[in-house]
Amino acid sequence: MATVWSGLGPAVTQAAGRGGRLIPRDVRTRFSSSDAEKRSGFAVAFERHADLQRQREAEIPDLGGRKVTAQKIDSFASLLRRSPLMQMGPTKDKIVIGKIFHIVGDDLYIDFGGKFHCVCRRPAVDGEKYQREVRVRLKLVDLELTSRFLGAKTDTTLLEAEAALLGLLDVKDTNQRD
Amino acid sequence: ENDLLLTDPLKHPDFFHISELFSLKDLFDARVHFGHKRGCRNRLMEPYLFGCRLDQDIIDLDQSILHLQQALNFTAHCAYRKGIILFVSRMRQFAHLIEQTAKECGEYAHTRYWQGGLLTNSHVQYGTGVRLPDLIIFLSTLNNIFEQHVAVRDAAKMNIPTVGIVDSNCNPSLITYPIPGNDDSPSAINLYCKLFKMTILRAKDKRRQMDLLYGIQKKLTK
């Protein structure tokens, strides 16, 4: 332990000199060594890190003694821009992962994160494996099925999305993506 | 003494700390900003929309947050003053959830077919001396045929203030405190139910506290 702290000596005292709150005063004086003029690699890095930390702390003002957590408050516009819906682009032929949340006989109600869910028929292959809370792969066609009929003022909406069921989600696929 | 109990909360802009209940991120994650397609848009919702992306309307959450805060503050004050709150919605997939929420708050819900004269003809339909709701909360202002729910118009006729979630295909004009937001996704409706329940319970607890406080004060002064 003595070897570690001896290399730190000047760095620690310099930090103390600049008003850093890193190490208490009594510890600082105990471990400051007079002979170590040249600093080892760790000491230089520690000093640089301490400077950066102090700069960042100086920028964020303390709110009544309580430290502000490093949590950026994003605006709605930036949250929206980075959301998967915007990044996806046109819906046609996009592959997404959905989760089955309801089953009525052969119909699977799948939610993939859009405004509406989609309803797909249970496929012939591996039919019994499609149960609630199972994740599946979908190829999207439309996010909301709407159409303007003759003589109508507004579109008629089916309150459903449309997608083609590609199959169960492979556990290997998700691991690779992570 | 009763006056202070009732008028003191009105002096604070956010007596019940409603702004702590939710954040922009919560609304965003619950998909509140999704609207319908451009063809379904109601012209009167255009000021509340952020824009239209590939034919899908996006609701402006900055405005929604302000509207939601005002609406929740109003429901809290109504619940504080022991008002009757009625939850109305004609969405069959969330009917059970809304009825559960109302039950847990100790308030009322009507998620079934709305007969014509429930508010306007209540003396005939229910008998004389019926107390009508003091606030009606719409979790969806449309009925099953995509027309405006009859209760919106009737509440306006009977001078009952309304709070309502208006989607991009709804008409917000008759609603006292409209909240522009998604009313079709389960995550959004779950969030709204949770927020309404929390505000009403908070307001009722506060009322109980204040009653005790003023009761003790009166005993001390006597």
Side-chain angles (χ1 to χ4, degrees):
Chain A
M1 191 154 143
T3 48
V4 173
W5 283 113
S6 59
L8 270 182
V12 169
T13 47
Q14 281 203 4
R18 273 174 238 156
R21 286 165 272 147
L22 303 161
I23 299 171
R25 199 172 286 278
D26 48 346
V27 179
R28 259 183 253 140
T29 48
R30 216 184 307 143
F31 289 120
S32 65
S33 51
S34 48
D35 54 15
E37 280 297 325
K38 62 173 173 71
R39 299 168 218 157
S40 65
F42 178 72
V44 172
F46 181 83
E47 195 188 325
R48 205 179 305 142
H49 178 75
D51 279 350
L52 287 172
Q53 198 171 37
R54 225 177 302 114
Q55 271 174 29
R56 217 184 312 132
E57 277 172 25
E59 279 166 8
I60 305 169
D62 272 346
L63 291 182
R66 182 168 53 94
K67 276 237 169 18
V68 180
T69 53
Q71 194 184 44
K72 286 187 287 180
I73 304 167
D74 278 329
S75 70
F76 171 56
S78 67
L79 273 178
L80 186 70
R81 188 157 173 227
R82 285 160 182 73
S83 69
L85 183 75
M86 298 293 129
Q87 299 291 325
M88 181 173 79
T91 343
K92 194 100 174 72
D93 297 335
K94 292 288 188 306
I95 313 279
V96 293
I97 300 172
K99 195 160 87 152
I100 303 176
F101 68 93
H102 195 241
I103 304 184
V104 177
D106 254 353
D107 295 321
L108 312 168
Y109 289 71
I110 304 165
D111 171 38
F112 54 86
K115 182 170 162 93
F116 298 104
H117 56 270
C118 67
V119 186
C120 299
R121 204 147 46 111
R122 194 191 290 264
V125 181
D126 283 339
E128 305 78 37
K129 289 202 187 162
Y130 295 92
Q131 301 301 331
R132 279 196 197 190
E133 310 292 321
V134 165
R135 300 177 71 195
V136 292
R137 283 169 70 235
L138 302 165
K139 184 194 273 209
L140 295 180
V141 175
D142 204 349
L143 281 180
E144 185 181 349
L145 291 170
T146 55
S147 177
R148 176 80 54 110
F149 289 95
L150 272 179
K153 267 188 283 188
T154 55
D155 280 9
T156 315
T157 166
L158 266 180
L159 301 178
E160 247 178 49
E162 193 184 342
L165 191 58
L166 296 177
L168 293 164
L169 185 68
D170 240 346
V171 184
K172 232 193 299 174
D173 279 345
T174 48
N175 284 343
Q176 277 175 0
R177 235 169 261 136
D178 288 338
Chain B
E1 281 310 305
N2 227 9
D3 277 344
L4 266 181
L5 180 70
L6 292 178
T7 56
D8 203 36
L10 297 176
K11 295 182 188 148
H12 305 255
D14 194 6
F15 187 68
F16 303 98
H17 304 292
I18 297 298
S19 33
E20 292 170 1
L21 285 177
F22 62 96
S23 68
L24 182 81
K25 194 80 174 56
D26 294 334
L27 293 187
F28 192 86
D29 292 333
R31 312 181 212 163
V32 166
H33 56 293
F34 287 167
H36 284 270
K37 288 271 164 125
R38 185 177 36 187
C40 301
R41 193 196 298 172
N42 189 314
R43 182 117 183 241
L44 295 164
M45 283 300 288
E46 275 166 23
Y48 302 120
L49 296 179
F50 184 73
C52 187
R53 161 78 170 177
L54 293 166
D55 266 6
Q56 183 181 21
D57 287 333
I58 306 286
I59 294 168
D60 189 3
L61 279 191
D62 295 323
Q63 291 185 49
S64 294
I65 284 192
L66 299 171
H67 282 94
L68 189 59
Q69 272 173 358
Q70 281 186 347
L72 287 177
N73 193 27
F74 185 72
T75 54
H77 280 279
C78 277
Y80 181 86
R81 288 160 169 252
K82 301 196 177 163
I84 293 183
I85 299 178
L86 182 68
F87 287 86
V88 172
S89 164
R90 206 53 187 101
M91 303 212 80
R92 302 189 61 191
Q93 20 171 188
F94 309 120
H96 182 250
L97 172 69
I98 294 168
E99 287 173 351
Q100 278 297 106
T101 314
K103 200 168 168 183
E104 282 157 21
C105 294
E107 298 295 343
Y108 306 85
H110 185 109
T111 53
R112 313 285 160 153
Y113 176 71
W114 181 277
Q115 279 183 316
L118 283 187
L119 292 178
T120 45
N121 206 15
S122 59
H123 292 298
V124 168
Q125 290 199 338
Y126 291 116
T128 50
V130 183
R131 184 174 165 189
L132 290 180
D134 299 306
L135 172 67
I136 299 186
I137 300 182
F138 287 94
L139 282 127
S140 162
T141 53
L142 296 181
N143 61 16
N144 284 344
I145 36 177
F146 301 104
E147 282 173 0
Q148 196 179 46
H149 201 293
V150 172
V152 174
R153 196 194 62 198
D154 282 355
K157 280 187 192 173
M158 303 302 289
N159 278 342
I160 300 171
T162 45
V163 164
I165 312 279
V166 281
D167 204 348
S168 63
N169 56 350
C170 306
N171 181 356
S173 22
L174 279 179
I175 298 165
T176 343
Y177 289 91
I179 303 169
N182 187 8
D183 62 3
D184 296 301
S185 298
S187 54
I189 296 282
N190 270 315
L191 179 75
Y192 299 136
C193 284
K194 189 184 79 160
L195 287 175
F196 281 122
K197 186 170 77 169
M198 273 159 49
T199 42
I200 292 172
L201 289 175
R202 208 180 251 209
K204 288 187 173 172
D205 284 338
K206 193 80 191 195
R207 175 58 188 253
R208 245 175 280 141
Q209 267 180 23
M210 300 289 263
D211 272 341
L212 282 175
L213 189 71
Y214 280 100
I216 294 169
Q217 269 191 1
K218 213 188 278 188
K219 269 192 211 159
L220 287 176
T221 49
K222 278 191 186 155

